PDB file of all heavy atoms in Angstrom:
ATOM      1  N   VAL T 101      24.456   7.105 -15.935  1.00  0.00           N
ATOM      2  CA  VAL T 101      24.349   8.542 -15.705  1.00  0.00           C
ATOM      3  C   VAL T 101      23.062   9.087 -16.347  1.00  0.00           C
ATOM      4  O   VAL T 101      22.320   9.867 -15.738  1.00  0.00           O
ATOM      5  CB  VAL T 101      25.596   9.266 -16.225  1.00  0.00           C
ATOM      6  CG1 VAL T 101      25.376  10.780 -16.203  1.00  0.00           C
ATOM      7  CG2 VAL T 101      26.830   8.904 -15.416  1.00  0.00           C
ATOM      8  N   ALA T 102      22.805   8.655 -17.584  1.00  0.00           N
ATOM      9  CA  ALA T 102      21.589   9.093 -18.280  1.00  0.00           C
ATOM     10  C   ALA T 102      20.344   8.608 -17.546  1.00  0.00           C
ATOM     11  O   ALA T 102      19.351   9.343 -17.417  1.00  0.00           O
ATOM     12  CB  ALA T 102      21.593   8.587 -19.721  1.00  0.00           C
ATOM     13  N   ALA T 103      20.378   7.355 -17.054  1.00  0.00           N
ATOM     14  CA  ALA T 103      19.232   6.810 -16.349  1.00  0.00           C
ATOM     15  C   ALA T 103      18.951   7.583 -15.068  1.00  0.00           C
ATOM     16  O   ALA T 103      17.786   7.887 -14.743  1.00  0.00           O
ATOM     17  CB  ALA T 103      19.463   5.333 -16.035  1.00  0.00           C
ATOM     18  N   PHE T 104      20.027   7.926 -14.333  1.00  0.00           N
ATOM     19  CA  PHE T 104      19.831   8.703 -13.105  1.00  0.00           C
ATOM     20  C   PHE T 104      19.311  10.098 -13.421  1.00  0.00           C
ATOM     21  O   PHE T 104      18.471  10.642 -12.689  1.00  0.00           O
ATOM     22  CB  PHE T 104      21.141   8.788 -12.320  1.00  0.00           C
ATOM     23  CG  PHE T 104      21.404   7.590 -11.460  1.00  0.00           C
ATOM     24  CD1 PHE T 104      22.542   6.833 -11.622  1.00  0.00           C
ATOM     25  CD2 PHE T 104      20.495   7.213 -10.463  1.00  0.00           C
ATOM     26  CE1 PHE T 104      22.783   5.724 -10.841  1.00  0.00           C
ATOM     27  CE2 PHE T 104      20.728   6.107  -9.662  1.00  0.00           C
ATOM     28  CZ  PHE T 104      21.880   5.366  -9.839  1.00  0.00           C
ATOM     29  N   ALA T 105      19.798  10.709 -14.486  1.00  0.00           N
ATOM     30  CA  ALA T 105      19.339  12.054 -14.857  1.00  0.00           C
ATOM     31  C   ALA T 105      17.843  12.040 -15.175  1.00  0.00           C
ATOM     32  O   ALA T 105      17.091  12.905 -14.716  1.00  0.00           O
ATOM     33  CB  ALA T 105      20.141  12.565 -16.054  1.00  0.00           C
ATOM     34  N   VAL T 106      17.418  11.053 -15.976  1.00  0.00           N
ATOM     35  CA  VAL T 106      15.992  10.933 -16.314  1.00  0.00           C
ATOM     36  C   VAL T 106      15.183  10.624 -15.043  1.00  0.00           C
ATOM     37  O   VAL T 106      14.099  11.194 -14.823  1.00  0.00           O
ATOM     38  CB  VAL T 106      15.783   9.837 -17.361  1.00  0.00           C
ATOM     39  CG1 VAL T 106      14.293   9.573 -17.571  1.00  0.00           C
ATOM     40  CG2 VAL T 106      16.431  10.243 -18.694  1.00  0.00           C
ATOM     41  N   GLY T 107      15.708   9.745 -14.198  1.00  0.00           N
ATOM     42  CA  GLY T 107      15.003   9.400 -12.964  1.00  0.00           C
ATOM     43  C   GLY T 107      14.817  10.598 -12.042  1.00  0.00           C
ATOM     44  O   GLY T 107      13.731  10.801 -11.488  1.00  0.00           O
ATOM     45  N   ILE T 108      15.881  11.386 -11.880  1.00  0.00           N
ATOM     46  CA  ILE T 108      15.788  12.559 -11.007  1.00  0.00           C
ATOM     47  C   ILE T 108      14.775  13.556 -11.557  1.00  0.00           C
ATOM     48  O   ILE T 108      13.971  14.151 -10.820  1.00  0.00           O
ATOM     49  CB  ILE T 108      17.178  13.213 -10.855  1.00  0.00           C
ATOM     50  CG1 ILE T 108      18.087  12.293 -10.038  1.00  0.00           C
ATOM     51  CG2 ILE T 108      17.063  14.586 -10.204  1.00  0.00           C
ATOM     52  CD1 ILE T 108      19.529  12.741 -10.003  1.00  0.00           C
ATOM     53  N   LEU T 109      14.783  13.746 -12.884  1.00  0.00           N
ATOM     54  CA  LEU T 109      13.804  14.649 -13.507  1.00  0.00           C
ATOM     55  C   LEU T 109      12.377  14.161 -13.259  1.00  0.00           C
ATOM     56  O   LEU T 109      11.493  14.934 -12.864  1.00  0.00           O
ATOM     57  CB  LEU T 109      14.077  14.748 -15.001  1.00  0.00           C
ATOM     58  CG  LEU T 109      13.061  15.578 -15.810  1.00  0.00           C
ATOM     59  CD1 LEU T 109      13.036  17.024 -15.333  1.00  0.00           C
ATOM     60  CD2 LEU T 109      13.366  15.503 -17.302  1.00  0.00           C
ATOM     61  N   VAL T 110      12.142  12.871 -13.479  1.00  0.00           N
ATOM     62  CA  VAL T 110      10.790  12.317 -13.309  1.00  0.00           C
ATOM     63  C   VAL T 110      10.357  12.397 -11.853  1.00  0.00           C
ATOM     64  O   VAL T 110       9.226  12.804 -11.529  1.00  0.00           O
ATOM     65  CB  VAL T 110      10.743  10.867 -13.829  1.00  0.00           C
ATOM     66  CG1 VAL T 110       9.401  10.218 -13.467  1.00  0.00           C
ATOM     67  CG2 VAL T 110      10.958  10.830 -15.326  1.00  0.00           C
ATOM     68  N   TRP T 111      11.265  11.997 -10.935  1.00  0.00           N
ATOM     69  CA  TRP T 111      10.915  12.085  -9.521  1.00  0.00           C
ATOM     70  C   TRP T 111      10.618  13.525  -9.101  1.00  0.00           C
ATOM     71  O   TRP T 111       9.708  13.780  -8.333  1.00  0.00           O
ATOM     72  CB  TRP T 111      12.059  11.523  -8.659  1.00  0.00           C
ATOM     73  CG  TRP T 111      12.348  10.082  -8.914  1.00  0.00           C
ATOM     74  CD1 TRP T 111      11.464   9.121  -9.305  1.00  0.00           C
ATOM     75  CD2 TRP T 111      13.614   9.442  -8.811  1.00  0.00           C
ATOM     76  NE1 TRP T 111      12.096   7.911  -9.459  1.00  0.00           N
ATOM     77  CE2 TRP T 111      13.425   8.062  -9.154  1.00  0.00           C
ATOM     78  CE3 TRP T 111      14.890   9.857  -8.454  1.00  0.00           C
ATOM     79  CZ2 TRP T 111      14.474   7.156  -9.164  1.00  0.00           C
ATOM     80  CZ3 TRP T 111      15.951   8.944  -8.459  1.00  0.00           C
ATOM     81  CH2 TRP T 111      15.710   7.604  -8.810  1.00  0.00           C
ATOM     82  N   GLY T 112      11.413  14.446  -9.638  1.00  0.00           N
ATOM     83  CA  GLY T 112      11.189  15.847  -9.323  1.00  0.00           C
ATOM     84  C   GLY T 112       9.833  16.340  -9.788  1.00  0.00           C
ATOM     85  O   GLY T 112       9.121  17.049  -9.061  1.00  0.00           O
ATOM     86  N   LEU T 113       9.457  15.963 -11.023  1.00  0.00           N
ATOM     87  CA  LEU T 113       8.161  16.361 -11.546  1.00  0.00           C
ATOM     88  C   LEU T 113       7.018  15.745 -10.748  1.00  0.00           C
ATOM     89  O   LEU T 113       5.969  16.386 -10.516  1.00  0.00           O
ATOM     90  CB  LEU T 113       8.048  15.972 -13.021  1.00  0.00           C
ATOM     91  CG  LEU T 113       8.937  16.759 -13.991  1.00  0.00           C
ATOM     92  CD1 LEU T 113       8.856  16.166 -15.402  1.00  0.00           C
ATOM     93  CD2 LEU T 113       8.528  18.244 -14.010  1.00  0.00           C
ATOM     94  N   ILE T 114       7.195  14.489 -10.344  1.00  0.00           N
ATOM     95  CA  ILE T 114       6.159  13.829  -9.555  1.00  0.00           C
ATOM     96  C   ILE T 114       5.965  14.561  -8.227  1.00  0.00           C
ATOM     97  O   ILE T 114       4.833  14.851  -7.789  1.00  0.00           O
ATOM     98  CB  ILE T 114       6.523  12.354  -9.305  1.00  0.00           C
ATOM     99  CG1 ILE T 114       6.408  11.563 -10.607  1.00  0.00           C
ATOM    100  CG2 ILE T 114       5.608  11.749  -8.240  1.00  0.00           C
ATOM    101  CD1 ILE T 114       6.915  10.134 -10.493  1.00  0.00           C
ATOM    102  N   LEU T 115       7.069  14.876  -7.540  1.00  0.00           N
ATOM    103  CA  LEU T 115       6.975  15.568  -6.251  1.00  0.00           C
ATOM    104  C   LEU T 115       6.378  16.973  -6.427  1.00  0.00           C
ATOM    105  O   LEU T 115       5.569  17.426  -5.619  1.00  0.00           O
ATOM    106  CB  LEU T 115       8.356  15.645  -5.606  1.00  0.00           C
ATOM    107  CG  LEU T 115       8.947  14.311  -5.149  1.00  0.00           C
ATOM    108  CD1 LEU T 115      10.385  14.494  -4.668  1.00  0.00           C
ATOM    109  CD2 LEU T 115       8.095  13.694  -4.056  1.00  0.00           C
ATOM    110  N   TRP T 116       6.819  17.653  -7.501  1.00  0.00           N
ATOM    111  CA  TRP T 116       6.284  18.992  -7.766  1.00  0.00           C
ATOM    112  C   TRP T 116       4.775  18.935  -7.995  1.00  0.00           C
ATOM    113  O   TRP T 116       4.017  19.754  -7.476  1.00  0.00           O
ATOM    114  CB  TRP T 116       6.997  19.592  -8.982  1.00  0.00           C
ATOM    115  CG  TRP T 116       6.379  20.888  -9.427  1.00  0.00           C
ATOM    116  CD1 TRP T 116       6.505  22.111  -8.839  1.00  0.00           C
ATOM    117  CD2 TRP T 116       5.514  21.060 -10.554  1.00  0.00           C
ATOM    118  NE1 TRP T 116       5.783  23.060  -9.529  1.00  0.00           N
ATOM    119  CE2 TRP T 116       5.171  22.443 -10.583  1.00  0.00           C
ATOM    120  CE3 TRP T 116       5.011  20.215 -11.544  1.00  0.00           C
ATOM    121  CZ2 TRP T 116       4.327  22.963 -11.571  1.00  0.00           C
ATOM    122  CZ3 TRP T 116       4.190  20.740 -12.513  1.00  0.00           C
ATOM    123  CH2 TRP T 116       3.851  22.109 -12.525  1.00  0.00           C
ATOM    124  N   ALA T 117       4.311  17.951  -8.819  1.00  0.00           N
ATOM    125  CA  ALA T 117       2.877  17.819  -9.089  1.00  0.00           C
ATOM    126  C   ALA T 117       2.103  17.479  -7.814  1.00  0.00           C
ATOM    127  O   ALA T 117       0.983  17.971  -7.610  1.00  0.00           O
ATOM    128  CB  ALA T 117       2.644  16.738 -10.137  1.00  0.00           C
ATOM    129  N   MET T 118       2.704  16.669  -6.923  1.00  0.00           N
ATOM    130  CA  MET T 118       2.031  16.322  -5.678  1.00  0.00           C
ATOM    131  C   MET T 118       1.811  17.541  -4.799  1.00  0.00           C
ATOM    132  O   MET T 118       0.775  17.683  -4.149  1.00  0.00           O
ATOM    133  CB  MET T 118       2.868  15.278  -4.912  1.00  0.00           C
ATOM    134  CG  MET T 118       2.886  13.906  -5.562  1.00  0.00           C
ATOM    135  SD  MET T 118       4.086  12.807  -4.773  1.00  0.00           S
ATOM    136  CE  MET T 118       3.475  12.786  -3.091  1.00  0.00           C
ATOM    137  N   VAL T 119       2.795  18.453  -4.829  1.00  0.00           N
ATOM    138  CA  VAL T 119       2.686  19.652  -3.979  1.00  0.00           C
ATOM    139  C   VAL T 119       1.829  20.722  -4.669  1.00  0.00           C
ATOM    140  O   VAL T 119       0.919  21.294  -4.059  1.00  0.00           O
ATOM    141  CB  VAL T 119       4.085  20.193  -3.650  1.00  0.00           C
ATOM    142  CG1 VAL T 119       3.975  21.536  -2.911  1.00  0.00           C
ATOM    143  CG2 VAL T 119       4.870  19.190  -2.827  1.00  0.00           C
ATOM    144  N   ALA T 120       2.131  20.987  -5.932  1.00  0.00           N
ATOM    145  CA  ALA T 120       1.472  22.085  -6.631  1.00  0.00           C
ATOM    146  C   ALA T 120      -0.014  21.814  -6.873  1.00  0.00           C
ATOM    147  O   ALA T 120      -0.834  22.757  -6.872  1.00  0.00           O
ATOM    148  CB  ALA T 120       2.165  22.369  -7.950  1.00  0.00           C
ATOM    149  N   TYR T 121      -0.369  20.564  -7.086  1.00  0.00           N
ATOM    150  CA  TYR T 121      -1.747  20.238  -7.434  1.00  0.00           C
ATOM    151  C   TYR T 121      -2.430  19.366  -6.374  1.00  0.00           C
ATOM    152  O   TYR T 121      -3.338  18.610  -6.688  1.00  0.00           O
ATOM    153  CB  TYR T 121      -1.793  19.535  -8.796  1.00  0.00           C
ATOM    154  CG  TYR T 121      -1.242  20.404  -9.910  1.00  0.00           C
ATOM    155  CD1 TYR T 121       0.017  20.164 -10.428  1.00  0.00           C
ATOM    156  CD2 TYR T 121      -1.999  21.461 -10.421  1.00  0.00           C
ATOM    157  CE1 TYR T 121       0.532  20.963 -11.436  1.00  0.00           C
ATOM    158  CE2 TYR T 121      -1.495  22.266 -11.421  1.00  0.00           C
ATOM    159  CZ  TYR T 121      -0.229  22.021 -11.937  1.00  0.00           C
ATOM    160  OH  TYR T 121       0.272  22.818 -12.914  1.00  0.00           O
ATOM    161  N   ARG T 122      -1.991  19.538  -5.152  1.00  0.00           N
ATOM    162  CA  ARG T 122      -2.621  18.784  -4.077  1.00  0.00           C
ATOM    163  C   ARG T 122      -4.052  19.281  -3.859  1.00  0.00           C
ATOM    164  O   ARG T 122      -4.383  20.425  -4.204  1.00  0.00           O
ATOM    165  CB  ARG T 122      -1.826  18.889  -2.788  1.00  0.00           C
ATOM    166  CG  ARG T 122      -1.833  20.275  -2.187  1.00  0.00           C
ATOM    167  CD  ARG T 122      -0.859  20.369  -1.021  1.00  0.00           C
ATOM    168  NE  ARG T 122      -0.934  21.671  -0.349  1.00  0.00           N
ATOM    169  CZ  ARG T 122      -0.315  22.764  -0.775  1.00  0.00           C
ATOM    170  NH1 ARG T 122       0.401  22.721  -1.912  1.00  0.00           N
ATOM    171  NH2 ARG T 122      -0.413  23.894  -0.103  1.00  0.00           N
ATOM    172  N   LYS T 123      -4.855  18.442  -3.294  1.00  0.00           N
ATOM    173  CA  LYS T 123      -6.244  18.814  -3.045  1.00  0.00           C
ATOM    174  C   LYS T 123      -6.325  19.900  -1.977  1.00  0.00           C
ATOM    175  O   LYS T 123      -5.775  19.741  -0.869  1.00  0.00           O
ATOM    176  CB  LYS T 123      -7.033  17.578  -2.597  1.00  0.00           C
ATOM    177  CG  LYS T 123      -8.505  17.861  -2.365  1.00  0.00           C
ATOM    178  CD  LYS T 123      -9.257  16.588  -1.977  1.00  0.00           C
ATOM    179  CE  LYS T 123     -10.731  16.895  -1.727  1.00  0.00           C
ATOM    180  NZ  LYS T 123     -11.489  15.677  -1.330  1.00  0.00           N
ATOM    181  N   ARG T 124      -6.999  20.989  -2.307  1.00  0.00           N
ATOM    182  CA  ARG T 124      -7.130  22.103  -1.380  1.00  0.00           C
ATOM    183  C   ARG T 124      -8.562  22.253  -0.825  1.00  0.00           C
ATOM    184  O   ARG T 124      -8.763  22.817   0.238  1.00  0.00           O
ATOM    185  CB  ARG T 124      -6.689  23.400  -2.045  1.00  0.00           C
ATOM    186  CG  ARG T 124      -5.197  23.444  -2.370  1.00  0.00           C
ATOM    187  CD  ARG T 124      -4.809  24.759  -3.031  1.00  0.00           C
ATOM    188  NE  ARG T 124      -3.387  24.917  -3.172  1.00  0.00           N
ATOM    189  CZ  ARG T 124      -2.674  24.446  -4.199  1.00  0.00           C
ATOM    190  NH1 ARG T 124      -3.289  23.776  -5.153  1.00  0.00           N
ATOM    191  NH2 ARG T 124      -1.373  24.621  -4.248  1.00  0.00           N
ATOM    192  N   ASN T 125      -9.501  21.794  -1.617  1.00  0.00           N
ATOM    193  CA  ASN T 125     -10.900  21.878  -1.177  1.00  0.00           C
ATOM    194  C   ASN T 125     -11.709  20.827  -1.926  1.00  0.00           C
ATOM    195  O   ASN T 125     -11.134  19.994  -2.653  1.00  0.00           O
ATOM    196  CB  ASN T 125     -11.475  23.288  -1.418  1.00  0.00           C
ATOM    197  CG  ASN T 125     -11.214  23.763  -2.832  1.00  0.00           C
ATOM    198  OD1 ASN T 125     -11.538  23.065  -3.795  1.00  0.00           O
ATOM    199  ND2 ASN T 125     -10.613  24.964  -2.975  1.00  0.00           N
ATOM    200  N   ASP T 126     -13.020  20.861  -1.758  1.00  0.00           N
ATOM    201  CA  ASP T 126     -13.891  19.885  -2.412  1.00  0.00           C
ATOM    202  C   ASP T 126     -14.354  20.303  -3.801  1.00  0.00           C
ATOM    203  O   ASP T 126     -15.132  19.594  -4.441  1.00  0.00           O
ATOM    204  CB  ASP T 126     -15.130  19.612  -1.535  1.00  0.00           C
ATOM    205  CG  ASP T 126     -14.743  18.944  -0.221  1.00  0.00           C
ATOM    206  OD1 ASP T 126     -13.708  18.201  -0.244  1.00  0.00           O
ATOM    207  OD2 ASP T 126     -15.445  19.148   0.772  1.00  0.00           O
ATOM    208  N   GLU T 127     -13.865  21.431  -4.289  1.00  0.00           N
ATOM    209  CA  GLU T 127     -14.254  21.904  -5.600  1.00  0.00           C
ATOM    210  C   GLU T 127     -13.616  21.030  -6.691  1.00  0.00           C
ATOM    211  O   GLU T 127     -12.429  20.706  -6.614  1.00  0.00           O
ATOM    212  CB  GLU T 127     -13.817  23.351  -5.803  1.00  0.00           C
ATOM    213  CG  GLU T 127     -14.267  23.947  -7.137  1.00  0.00           C
ATOM    214  CD  GLU T 127     -13.834  25.387  -7.276  1.00  0.00           C
ATOM    215  OE1 GLU T 127     -13.429  25.985  -6.254  1.00  0.00           O
ATOM    216  OE2 GLU T 127     -13.893  25.929  -8.400  1.00  0.00           O
ATOM    217  N   LEU T 128     -14.387  20.637  -7.685  1.00  0.00           N
ATOM    218  CA  LEU T 128     -13.882  19.807  -8.776  1.00  0.00           C
ATOM    219  C   LEU T 128     -12.917  20.620  -9.638  1.00  0.00           C
ATOM    220  O   LEU T 128     -13.272  21.698 -10.114  1.00  0.00           O
ATOM    221  CB  LEU T 128     -15.036  19.277  -9.629  1.00  0.00           C
ATOM    222  CG  LEU T 128     -14.653  18.307 -10.733  1.00  0.00           C
ATOM    223  CD1 LEU T 128     -14.122  17.006 -10.144  1.00  0.00           C
ATOM    224  CD2 LEU T 128     -15.858  18.037 -11.645  1.00  0.00           C
ATOM    225  N   PRO T 129     -11.713  20.155  -9.849  1.00  0.00           N
ATOM    226  CA  PRO T 129     -10.754  20.907 -10.681  1.00  0.00           C
ATOM    227  C   PRO T 129     -11.241  21.022 -12.119  1.00  0.00           C
ATOM    228  O   PRO T 129     -12.074  20.248 -12.585  1.00  0.00           O
ATOM    229  CB  PRO T 129      -9.485  20.041 -10.607  1.00  0.00           C
ATOM    230  CG  PRO T 129      -9.671  19.169  -9.433  1.00  0.00           C
ATOM    231  CD  PRO T 129     -11.146  18.931  -9.303  1.00  0.00           C
ATOM    232  N   LYS T 130     -10.687  21.991 -12.832  1.00  0.00           N
ATOM    233  CA  LYS T 130     -11.005  22.156 -14.234  1.00  0.00           C
ATOM    234  C   LYS T 130     -10.590  20.921 -15.003  1.00  0.00           C
ATOM    235  O   LYS T 130      -9.465  20.434 -14.867  1.00  0.00           O
ATOM    236  CB  LYS T 130     -10.275  23.388 -14.772  1.00  0.00           C
ATOM    237  CG  LYS T 130     -10.536  23.631 -16.251  1.00  0.00           C
ATOM    238  CD  LYS T 130      -9.724  24.830 -16.745  1.00  0.00           C
ATOM    239  CE  LYS T 130      -9.951  25.022 -18.250  1.00  0.00           C
ATOM    240  NZ  LYS T 130      -9.145  26.153 -18.782  1.00  0.00           N
ATOM    241  N   GLN T 131     -11.511  20.399 -15.824  1.00  0.00           N
ATOM    242  CA  GLN T 131     -11.243  19.173 -16.578  1.00  0.00           C
ATOM    243  C   GLN T 131     -10.645  19.527 -17.951  1.00  0.00           C
ATOM    244  O   GLN T 131     -11.218  20.329 -18.693  1.00  0.00           O
ATOM    245  CB  GLN T 131     -12.524  18.376 -16.759  1.00  0.00           C
ATOM    246  CG  GLN T 131     -13.208  17.988 -15.457  1.00  0.00           C
ATOM    247  CD  GLN T 131     -12.308  17.130 -14.576  1.00  0.00           C
ATOM    248  OE1 GLN T 131     -11.979  16.023 -14.953  1.00  0.00           O
ATOM    249  NE2 GLN T 131     -11.906  17.658 -13.423  1.00  0.00           N
ATOM    250  N   THR T 132      -9.497  18.932 -18.253  1.00  0.00           N
ATOM    251  CA  THR T 132      -8.806  19.183 -19.514  1.00  0.00           C
ATOM    252  C   THR T 132      -8.775  17.931 -20.334  1.00  0.00           C
ATOM    253  O   THR T 132      -8.297  16.886 -19.868  1.00  0.00           O
ATOM    254  CB  THR T 132      -7.361  19.684 -19.257  1.00  0.00           C
ATOM    255  OG1 THR T 132      -7.425  20.856 -18.437  1.00  0.00           O
ATOM    256  CG2 THR T 132      -6.660  20.013 -20.558  1.00  0.00           C
TER     257      THR T 132
END
């Protein structure tokens, strides 16, 4: 149960990052 909970959280963050920070143009993103 703990493994699935961690997995779902990680998968969710990965999918969120893919959508929220997808490439929108050729401008170089801010480097942190």
Side-chain angles (χ1 to χ4, degrees):
V101 171
F104 277 121
V106 172
I108 291 172
L109 175 62
V110 172
W111 298 330
L113 290 173
I114 290 173
L115 293 174
W116 173 76
M118 290 171 60
V119 173
Y121 299 104
R122 68 188 185 278
K123 182 178 179 181
R124 292 181 172 85
N125 50 52
D126 294 331
E127 183 179 347
L128 185 67
K130 179 183 178 182
Q131 302 300 295
T132 303

